[in-house]
């Protein structure tokens, strides 16, 4: 996983957490939902990158 992708995914996750909490504090469900989507999306992207790296390291990737 490249460093830039890692930073981008973690930033999206953190942005989502902040947005979700802001929505919770202001009782704005739309903002809360948007934050949750950002958070989950960032986490999934990070998981996909880790999985790709695991296959590359083991040499058992697609041929």
């Amino acid at each position: 996983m490249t460093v830039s992708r890692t930073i981008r995914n973690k930033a999206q996750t953190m942005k989502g957490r902040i947005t979700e909490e802001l929505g919770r504090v202001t009782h704005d469900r739309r903002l809360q939902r948007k934050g949750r989507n950002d958070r989950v999306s960032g986490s999934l992207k990070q998981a996909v990158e880790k999985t790709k790296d695991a296959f590359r390291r083991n040499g058992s990737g697609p041929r």
Side-chain angles (χ1 to χ4, degrees), residues 26-38:
T26 61
H27 302 291
D28 186 350
R29 288 182 186 240
R30 187 181 308 153
L31 195 59
Q32 201 173 355
R33 215 176 8 241
K34 186 178 185 297
R36 189 176 311 121
N37 287 340
D38 277 346

Side-chain angles (χ1 to χ4, degrees), residues 17-51:
R17 286 178 191 217
I18 292 168
T19 306
E20 186 178 6
E21 189 61 32
L22 185 63
R24 194 173 288 134
V25 168
T26 61
H27 302 291
D28 186 350
R29 288 182 186 240
R30 187 181 308 153
L31 195 59
Q32 201 173 355
R33 215 176 8 241
K34 186 178 185 297
R36 189 176 311 121
N37 287 340
D38 277 346
R39 180 175 51 84
V40 170
S41 179
S43 296
L44 284 175
K45 286 178 185 177
Q46 211 167 356
V48 167
E49 289 297 323
K50 284 182 181 181
T51 304

